[in-house]
Amino acid sequence: MSSEYFLKQTIDCNQGSVRAVRYNVDGSYLLTCGSDKKLKLWNPLTGLLLKTYGGHANEVTDAAGSCDSCFIVSASLDKSIIYWDVPTAQPLRRLRCHAGGVNCVRFNEDSGLAISGGKDNMAMCWDIRTRKQEPIQVLNDAKDCITSIVCNDHEIITSSLDGCIRHYDIRASQMTCDSIGPPIVHMVQTKDGQCMIVACADNVLRLIDNDSGQILAEYKGHISEDFQIECGILAGDSKICSGSAEGCAIIWDLVDEKEVARIKMGGGVVHSLTTHPTGNDIVFARKREFQVWGLD
């Protein structure tokens, strides 16, 4: 079933285990987060290493590029996030207020704020364009660690291992909570902003309506075990994908919930992935490497 997808690139990152892979805003660059405390910037088509960013004191868990691709924000188990200048690879800000390791980090739409989520069950909003060392807002409603963050125009959405999706309306200073049930290990938003795809610890992906919190569809076939297996949605909102603990990735049709492709990668947990913002390429993290897969 995977014949239409082909392997375009395999790169050994030489940074220990790859903890996360992330495209930048237009998909021209790729970020990899390593267990060696480094962050690397790549050309995903050629496999060329462009920059290495070193400054964390523990594993790098997540990263995001700004809307103009001039800056990067990274998260680490050292309880900090770092704001980087892309061309010089120099850290511009180091922000430390989390009481535990930081799992995830995102920019808001204009990249004036960075939002981080930690093992301390808190999400923090940082004004990174100033020299302020304290977060401008702390979201502390979660009962377990924050696993994913989505930022919209006036809303911050978090998922956590307590099985809840929380919507924070920044303008109205209100929070609503959708209880999904099983622990949520990852979450992404559809391109039209209407729904969330949530990966749960019970080996099920769920399509959630943003307004009502209703479960619209479920997708099965991957294996999570005890890993935080990430999910993604392809451009056009027609297909969704997930890694798997059995060394493969699965792609489903979003509407009919059927598996349309199973990409086998030869062993090793496929835990992190990132989908191209406008194209059909998918990058998967596996062991020490990333693989770029595309449509035939």
Side-chain angles (χ1 to χ4, degrees), residues 26 29 66-67 82 96 100 103 108 114 126 133 147 152 165 189 191 199 218 243 245 260 285:
D26 64 2
Y29 301 108
S66 64
C67 57
I82 295 181
R96 300 182 179 94
N103 287 328
N108 70 336
W126 309 85
Q133 293 297 314
T147 55
N152 293 326
I165 299 174
Q189 188 176 47
K191 308 296 183 185
E218 294 186 343
V260 297

Side-chain angles (χ1 to χ4, degrees), residues 23-38:
Y23 272 118
N24 74 325
V25 65
D26 64 2
S28 58
Y29 301 108
L30 182 76
L31 294 165
T32 59
C33 306
S35 65
D36 67 343
K37 313 172 190 177
K38 300 288 197 309

Side-chain angles (χ1 to χ4, degrees), residues 102-240:
V102 186
N103 287 328
C104 49
V105 66
R106 290 291 179 271
F107 281 110
N108 70 336
E109 288 195 339
D110 69 359
S111 301
L113 294 179
I115 300 91
S116 57
K119 295 181 181 295
D120 57 1
N121 309 347
M122 295 184 183
M124 297 185 181
C125 304
W126 309 85
D127 185 350
I128 52 175
R129 292 177 178 171
T130 70
R131 289 294 174 183
K132 188 176 177 62
Q133 293 297 314
E134 302 293 324
I136 60 173
Q137 190 168 10
V138 176
L139 311 174
N140 58 1
D141 302 284
K143 303 299 187 292
D144 208 330
C145 68
I146 308 296
T147 55
S148 296
I149 295 168
V150 170
C151 298
N152 293 326
D153 181 19
H154 61 279
E155 189 179 42
I156 295 171
I157 306 171
T158 67
S159 67
S160 70
L161 291 181
D162 63 10
C164 291
I165 299 174
R166 292 176 173 84
H167 300 253
Y168 295 90
D169 189 320
I170 303 304
R171 294 182 299 190
S173 298
Q174 294 179 341
M175 188 275 287
T176 58
C177 179
D178 298 326
S179 179
I180 307 304
I184 300 171
V185 298
H186 193 65
M187 172 183 69
V188 294
Q189 188 176 47
T190 55
K191 308 296 183 185
D192 63 11
Q194 300 301 307
C195 299
M196 290 289 175
I197 303 291
V198 296
C200 299
D202 61 351
N203 302 327
V204 180
L205 299 185
R206 292 172 171 87
L207 180 67
I208 310 295
D209 182 86
N210 263 349
D211 292 331
S212 68
Q214 179 183 359
I215 299 175
L216 304 177
E218 294 186 343
Y219 311 86
K220 301 177 182 179
H222 67 296
I223 298 174
S224 297
E225 294 184 353
D226 293 328
F227 300 99
Q228 293 195 7
I229 304 291
E230 295 181 356
C231 57
I233 186 157
L234 297 173
D237 286 347
S238 62
K239 295 180 178 64
I240 65 171

